[in-house]
Amino acid sequence: MRIGNCSGFYGDRLAAMREMLTGGELDFLTGDYLAELTMLILGRDRMKDPARGYAKTFLRQLEDCLGLAQDKGVRIVANAGGLNPAGLATAIRELTSKLGLDVNVAHVEGDDLLPRAADLGLGAPLTANAYLGAWGIVDCLNNGAEVVVTGRVTDASVIVGPAAATFGWSPTDYDRLAGAVLAGHVIECGTQATGGNFAFFREVPDLLHPGFPIAEIRDDGSSVITKHDGTGGLVSVDTVTAQLLYEITGARYANPDVTARVDSISLSDDGPDRVLISGPVGEAPPPTLKVSLNAIGGFRNSVTFVLTGLDIEAKAALLQRQLEAAITVRPAELEWTLARTDHVDAETEETASALLHCVARDADPAKVGRAFTAAGIELALASYPGFNVTAPPGDGQVYGVYTAGYVDAAEVPHVAVHADGARVNIPPATETLPLAPAEDPALPEPLPADTLARTRRVPLGLIAGGRSGDKGGSANIGLWVRTDAQWRWLAHTLTVDRLRELLPETADLDVTRHLLPNLRAVNFVIEDILGQGVSYNARFDPQAKGLAEWLRARYLEIPEELIP
C-alpha cells in the first residue's frame, strides 16, 4: 500500500495535496498539522471563537482537491482537527454539499482533556490534549470513511491507522505496528525526508521544489520510503536516517499503540529514490499517554540594540545599566543577550556590528509594553556612540508555556465518530510495558593507534550529518556518519563531556547520549535548553533547528583517513 504525506506543519506548501494526488498512484494521503506550538495557536483561536480551533488551510486544500481524491480512490487522513475535530468534520460535510460531492467523513475525538484537567492533576492550562493512537482511525476506515480527521493523535498515527486497516493488523502485532510507526515518523515531516533541512544539502540534485514523501508499507511492517517520479529532492539512506533521528530520545520510540525499537531496523538502497526499512521490532506500549499542555505564561516584549565598531562589551554594559535604571517598574524577568556578530576590521558596517537583545516578561502587560521599549528609545542621544535599534518600540505580546503531562491511558476517552453519527469507544491497550531506557550497546572497537595519530583539525560536519529539534523545553541532536570506521571514531569521541566542550550553552544542562549502531548514529537529549518551550523562550534558535548545524561546524582533530 502507498501512503503519501502532504503536510509537515500548519503552514506547509498549500499546493502539496494536489501535487501528491496528480503525481502518481496513492492509496492514502495524510497530513500532519499539529506541532506543539500549533496547539497554542489553535487554543488562542478557540478563545476568540469556540467554533474554531482547527487548521483552516486543510479546508482550502480539500475545496481544491476533494473531488480529485474521490475520483482516484485516495482516502485522506489528517490531524487537522486540532482542538475541534467535530467542527472540522462538520465544515467538510458542508463543503462536500457545496461541491456536489457525496463523501463519507468521520472523525476521532476524546483527546481534549481540558474540562477534566484539574481532576487529572494537569492544572489549569489553555489546552490539554492527550496523544491518541491509531485505532480510532482504523475503526473509521473500516466503516467506509473516505476522509478521517482527528485531534491530537501522535504524528505517526495518521500513517499507522491506514496500514493497520488495510492489512487487518491486531493491537498486538507489535513488529508490524512498529514498522508503520517508523515509516510514519519518516514521512510525517514532509520534505524533511526528501532532502529538505538535510545536512548534505549540496548532494541533493534538485532542491528547488522537493517532492513530498511516500511510504510503501508492507504487511510485515517493512516499508520503502520514496517519492513520485519526476519530483525534486532526494530519497537516500542519509535523508531517511536524518529524519529517523529527528526529535527522538533513545532506542525506544514510544507511541500509544506500540513502542518501536529504533535500534532494530536496517536501511538499504532499493533503487533510485527508494530506501528499504526492514526488520522492525516493537514492544507493548506504555500504560500512560503523554498530554500536551499549553498555558498563557504572560506578556513579552523585546528590543534589539545595534552596537558597531570598537568597545562592544563596554557599550553593552553601559546600555544595560542605563536601561535598567530608566525602567520605573521592573518586569518580573529581564533577559539580556549579547550576540557577537561583529568582525575585526570589517569591510561593511553590518559585519562590524553586534546585537544586544533585551527581553522582558511579566504577567502585567503594562510592565512590558511601550513604557519598556520607550525607556530604551529615550536613551538614543544619551548612550553609547552609534546608538540604533533594529525596530521601533512596540506593545508586549502574549507568550505561552508548554509542558508535558502524563495520564493513565484508561482515563482518556478515544472515540471514533462515523458519518452517520454512530460513536464507537476505542479501548486502551490491554497489554502495556512501562517505558524504560534501553541499555546502550557495547562500544565498537576503537580505531588503531596509528590511524588516530594522523589527524587534521577540521569541522565535524565534514564526516557527520545531523538533525536537531525541540521537544518542549528540551532538544535533541542526532548525528550520523557513513562508514564503519567513522562510526568507530564517533562513538568513542563524541561523548557527553565533549559535546559540552563543543557547545558551551549545554555546559550546565542535563545531557544524555544514546547509541544507535544500526544507523551509525549518536543521539543527544539536552534538557531545558529551550526553557519553558518555543513560545516562551527568546533563544536565538527557539526551536533548536540549528543546533546540529552548530555542532557540525565545530572543529575537532579527525583522523585523516576518515575525511572524504
Side-chain angles (χ1 to χ4, degrees):
M1 58 169 302
R2 284 168 59 91
I3 304 178
N5 174 278
C6 69
S7 176
F9 68 101
Y10 188 12
D12 210 344
R13 188 191 306 167
L14 198 64
M17 182 177 286
R18 173 165 285 276
E19 291 173 8
M20 291 300 285
L21 289 170
T22 58
E25 295 301 311
L26 293 175
D27 299 301
F28 289 89
L29 185 60
T30 66
D32 175 20
Y33 295 79
L34 301 183
E36 291 165 351
L37 179 61
T38 308
M39 301 301 283
L40 174 66
I41 294 169
L42 295 177
R44 297 190 64 196
D45 283 349
R46 186 171 64 176
M47 287 176 65
K48 299 171 186 175
D49 182 355
R52 292 164 64 178
Y54 55 78
K56 297 183 289 294
T57 54
F58 179 69
L59 268 180
R60 291 173 59 192
Q61 290 173 307
L62 288 184
E63 184 170 13
D64 177 50
C65 298
L66 192 51
L68 176 62
Q70 193 173 47
D71 290 344
K72 295 176 72 71
V74 177
R75 296 200 274 179
I76 297 172
V77 181
N79 62 13
L83 301 178
N84 189 7
L88 178 57
T90 297
I92 295 171
R93 293 186 187 104
E94 292 172 352
L95 175 64
T96 60
S97 178
K98 171 185 169 183
L99 297 175
L101 301 173
D102 182 15
V103 180
N104 186 309
V105 180
H107 74 274
V108 177
E109 63 185 31
D111 62 292
D112 192 347
L113 303 182
L114 188 62
R116 302 165 53 213
D119 293 339
L120 293 170
L122 301 173
L126 174 67
T127 68
N129 295 83
Y131 286 80
L132 300 179
W135 293 105
I137 297 170
V138 173
D139 182 84
C140 291
L141 294 174
N142 285 342
N143 282 275
E146 296 167 89
V147 176
V148 182
V149 291
T150 75
R152 179 69 279 185
V153 297
T154 68
D155 299 343
S157 289
V158 296
I159 289 94
V160 177
T166 297
F167 295 120
W169 293 341
S170 77
T172 56
D173 283 329
Y174 295 134
D175 292 349
R176 294 179 170 91
L177 292 168
V181 164
L182 294 171
H185 181 56
V186 172
I187 72 170
E188 71 193 26
C189 285
T191 52
Q192 280 196 171
T194 59
N197 293 350
F198 180 51
F200 303 114
F201 67 95
R202 289 186 296 180
E203 298 177 5
V204 181
D206 177 16
L207 200 51
L208 184 64
H209 195 78
F212 276 68
I214 298 167
E216 298 177 353
I217 300 179
R218 302 167 179 175
D219 189 18
D220 65 357
S222 65
S223 62
V224 170
I225 306 301
T226 186
K227 61 186 183 69
H228 283 319
D229 292 341
T231 57
L234 171 71
V235 178
S236 69
V237 168
D238 284 320
T239 68
V240 172
T241 298
Q243 186 55 28
L244 282 169
L245 293 173
Y246 184 59
E247 295 183 345
I248 65 168
T249 52
R252 287 189 166 102
Y253 185 57
N255 266 246
D257 305 315
V258 64
T259 294
R261 294 296 298 249
V262 183
D263 57 352
S264 67
I265 53 173
S266 298
L267 305 182
S268 57
D269 287 316
D270 192 58
D273 290 313
R274 294 177 62 84
V275 173
L276 172 65
I277 304 177
S278 58
V281 172
E283 301 170 341
T288 58
L289 297 183
K290 183 178 178 180
V291 184
S292 171
L293 301 169
N294 283 286
I296 298 298
F299 295 83
R300 182 177 67 185
N301 205 347
S302 64
V303 60
T304 297
F305 301 91
V306 181
L307 315 176
T308 303
L310 304 176
D311 304 318
I312 294 295
E313 292 189 5
K315 290 172 179 174
L318 171 62
L319 190 283
Q320 182 173 344
R321 291 197 308 271
Q322 288 180 310
L323 182 57
E324 292 193 8
I327 297 173
T328 55
V329 182
R330 186 182 177 91
E333 297 179 47
L334 207 57
E335 180 180 325
W336 293 89
T337 305
L338 176 60
R340 294 301 302 265
T341 52
D342 53 304
H343 296 67
V344 175
D345 196 20
E347 295 185 355
T348 67
E349 183 178 347
E350 185 171 1
T351 56
S353 300
L355 300 176
L356 179 62
H357 308 286
C358 182
V359 178
R361 299 184 187 88
D362 201 282
D364 182 353
K367 293 183 180 180
V368 298
R370 288 186 177 269
F372 160 70
T373 49
I377 299 305
E378 289 173 359
L379 296 170
L381 305 182
S383 189
Y384 63 89
F387 182 107
N388 69 97
V389 295
T390 58
D395 296 322
Q397 301 294 322
V398 171
Y399 72 87
V401 172
Y402 170 86
T403 54
Y406 294 88
V407 298
D408 190 310
E411 294 284 348
V412 180
H414 186 170
V415 183
V417 185
H418 300 167
D420 62 3
R423 301 173 63 85
V424 178
N425 291 317
I426 307 299
T430 56
E431 181 178 297
T432 62
L433 184 67
L435 188 64
E439 290 188 10
D440 261 346
L443 287 168
E445 285 293 318
L447 292 174
D450 61 337
T451 299
L452 294 172
R454 299 186 302 274
T455 66
R456 283 165 43 201
R457 186 169 175 78
V458 294
L460 176 59
L462 288 189
I463 69 167
R467 170 106 9 118
S468 58
D470 61 295
K471 294 301 290 182
S474 301
N476 90 298
I477 303 176
L479 286 176
W480 81 95
V481 289
R482 292 166 154 174
T483 71
D484 290 339
Q486 290 172 344
W487 165 240
R488 291 166 65 184
W489 176 84
L490 183 73
H492 285 276
T493 303
L494 201 58
T495 62
V496 169
D497 288 341
R498 181 60 65 88
L499 179 84
R500 289 191 171 117
E501 293 173 8
L502 295 170
L503 305 184
E505 288 185 28
T506 69
D508 298 322
L509 302 175
D510 289 333
V511 180
T512 54
R513 184 180 86 148
H514 305 273
L515 297 177
L516 297 167
N518 59 326
L519 300 178
R520 299 193 192 98
V522 294
N523 188 56
F524 294 94
V525 179
I526 306 167
E527 304 292 341
D528 301 323
I529 192 170
L530 304 180
Q532 298 181 61
V534 172
S535 178
Y536 165 85
N537 90 86
R539 188 179 178 276
F540 174 71
D541 174 18
Q543 292 183 291
K545 304 306 184 189
L547 268 180
E549 288 302 292
W550 178 25
L551 181 57
R552 293 182 67 242
R554 296 310 308 265
Y555 279 60
L556 288 85
E557 293 289 342
I558 298 179
E560 288 185 348
E561 69 178 58
L562 303 185
I563 301 171

